[in-house]
Amino acid sequence: MEYFTTTSKPSKRAVDCVIVGIFDRGKLGVAASDIDSASKGEIRRLIKSGDISSELGHCAVLTRLAGVKAARVVVVGLGKTSALGARQFRKAVAAAATAIGKTRAKQVLNGLTLETAAKTSHYYLARHSAEAFGEMLYRFNQMKSGRQPAGSPLKKIGFAIAKKTDAAQTIRGAKHGDAISTGVSLAKDLGNLPANVCTPSYLARTAKKLASGNAKLTSKVLNEAEMKRLGMGSLLSVTAGTVEAGKLIVMQYKGGGEKPVVLVGKGVTFDTGGISLKPGLGMDEMKFDMCGAAGVIGVMATVAQLKLPINLVVVVPTVENMPSGTATKPGDIVKSMSGQTIEVLNTDAEGRLILCDALTYSRRFKPAAIIDVATLTGACVIALGAHRSAVMSNNDALRTELVAAGERAEDLAWPMPLGEEYAEQLKSNFADMANIGGRPGGAVTAACFLEKFADGLTWAHMDIAGTAWHSGAKKGATGRPVPLLAEMLLSRCRALP
Ligand code: BES
Ligand code: MN
Ligand code: ZN
């Protein structure tokens, strides 16, 4: 995508489309007001006749307005009259982008960036715009046969700015948004692919492909024999029932001098539950059980595109969880790489079994911070729904940092506790711990399990079971939490304005 800024009036640019906004009670936004004067009151007339609405996200596409150079004007409702906040802005741009996606517009000029940026900044307005257009342009057609309907031909996104000095931050925001969009799209592709295509080996190949031709990025893949030598009995117990070989993918990006941030992503390419088999209804959605892996690989793609001056390691334990004659059975006791033993009371609590060994392995990178990302518990979906990811941490500052990054990135998260009282639920009569802690506080006890492997590390856990994909009619991966994690890394390397 190409991006540009302009200080000329939106009515004077001969683009395929301009976006303008109107607030409640007949208040026109800056660009709408310009279009209104140029067209001799057309916008006000349409508001009066009730043909365009100021309700947030409502859109009308006007074509060939007299006095306006652009071929189309998309008028989008901005809602209440007040300084436009980032959330409101993003929702409005997303709606306008959807409307524009149904036209043949090749270039668009966003006039909404002229509204007061009091609650946000030129950087974030441009970034949210680029992300919203990326969202609109995303298609997943690779598994469909035959010719697919042509997508939007959009090639160029412009931003109206009031003064030339706003240009640098605007373009910076757009470039960052573009890179985040790259990461989100990759994460969505990996999530949406079916489990018969997106296997552990497929994820490994994807990592290798991302690293090839990038001098700062290397990737290596450990096979089951190598993991066995490292003592990863917990991870390997999950892969015991399947013919697909489990892998440990390790990607290292070296762009700076400091200790790395390590991101660990749960890569269960299909979760049947194993011998503790899941019910059949909706089981297809367990192809999304590698969305933690997809998210951290996506973040790596974002970081590589921006060539950020940081060190980042991505570790992906990836397996398929299947029942069979060789599968792990409830009650089996396995030994993790840390030496701690685990009684596998439920083979469906497999995410933690692969993550714990990946956490132990990751100690070798001496991480400044280590964050695991996982579609870990149904309990998290009950607690927070599809709106916010859960964040648990043994470090208050890291937890706060992640939640705050989510607010700025419009990729929301919420803190959840850890604690001895919850950890007690994991007691086992036969091993150092059990892999389940009962139904009460299921998202928290899962995190407490992982905490036992993060001793001495600055560690956080993100449960994205509710946020990583949409169910129902809009079924599909969301690419979350790529924006949150990218924001965290951008602010760590002071790449934000
Ligand atoms: N992958 C699931 C978690 C999940 C369930 C994510 C539904 C999204 C929607 C995970 O491996 C799992 O099965 N967790 C169990 C844990 C339980 C056995 C302690 C769960 O949440 O039911
Ligand atoms: Mn499971
Ligand atoms: Zn799972």
Side-chain angles (χ1 to χ4, degrees), residues 16-258:
D16 292 345
C17 188
V18 232
I19 307 172
V20 305
I22 56 174
F23 294 95
D24 282 358
R25 279 176 276 138
K27 186 173 177 280
L28 302 187
V30 180
S33 177
D34 166 51
I35 298 287
D36 188 60
S37 340
S39 65
K40 302 211 167 64
E42 196 55 37
I43 306 279
R44 282 191 199 282
R45 253 195 305 280
L46 288 167
I47 294 176
K48 219 175 235 157
S49 66
D51 287 302
I52 53 180
S53 152
S54 63
E55 201 172 312
L56 181 59
H58 278 219
C59 279
V61 183
L62 315 177
T63 51
R64 285 183 287 152
L65 281 187
V68 175
K69 291 232 168 96
R72 301 171 189 82
V73 176
V74 172
V75 186
V76 57
L78 299 175
K80 287 202 180 60
T81 310
S82 66
L84 195 59
R87 195 155 307 163
Q88 208 178 347
F89 176 86
R90 173 117 184 205
K91 225 174 157 180
V93 177
T98 304
I100 292 163
K102 292 174 184 148
T103 74
R104 305 311 296 156
K106 291 199 185 73
Q107 330 105 15
V108 54
L109 175 61
N110 189 350
L112 303 182
T113 41
L114 289 173
E115 301 311 323
T116 162
K119 287 191 188 161
T120 172
S121 67
H122 294 289
Y123 167 85
Y124 282 106
L125 293 183
R127 186 169 123 188
H128 287 308
S129 300
E131 289 180 42
F133 275 100
E135 198 82 30
M136 179 278 280
L137 289 168
Y138 179 79
R139 294 282 182 285
F140 184 77
N141 283 336
Q142 48 179 303
M143 304 309 292
K144 292 194 172 163
S145 69
R147 257 179 67 153
Q148 294 307 309
S152 153
L154 194 70
K155 288 276 157 347
K156 232 176 175 180
I157 300 172
F159 301 96
I161 52 173
K163 36 191 205 316
K164 281 226 164 66
T165 48
D166 297 336
Q169 289 308 338
T170 299
I171 293 299
R172 185 184 182 76
K175 292 233 159 100
H176 287 187
D178 192 283
I180 290 168
S181 191
T182 300
V184 164
S185 298
L186 174 57
K188 283 184 185 176
D189 276 350
L190 293 173
N192 288 334
L193 281 168
N196 62 330
V197 175
C198 185
T199 57
S201 319
Y202 184 93
L203 285 180
R205 283 199 299 279
T206 304
K208 291 245 155 148
K209 221 162 77 194
L210 198 57
S212 78
N214 185 332
K216 291 192 173 132
L217 184 57
T218 58
S219 121
K220 72 170 179 181
V221 179
L222 276 60
N223 62 27
E224 290 192 1
E226 289 162 309
M227 292 191 275
K228 191 161 183 202
R229 277 200 290 280
L230 287 166
M232 295 188 172
S234 182
L235 187 156
L236 291 169
S237 75
V238 179
T239 203
T242 175
V243 295
E244 285 290 340
K247 311 266 180 201
L248 188 80
I249 304 168
V250 184
M251 306 176 78
Q252 274 185 280
Y253 172 88
K254 290 203 174 104
E258 287 162 23

Side-chain angles (χ1 to χ4, degrees), residues 452-476:
K452 293 179 186 290
F453 299 84
D455 201 31
L457 296 170
T458 302
W459 158 83
H461 159 65
M462 290 188 68
D463 196 329
I464 59 165
T467 54
W469 75 89
H470 297 297
S471 300
K474 285 202 303 175
K475 194 192 284 184

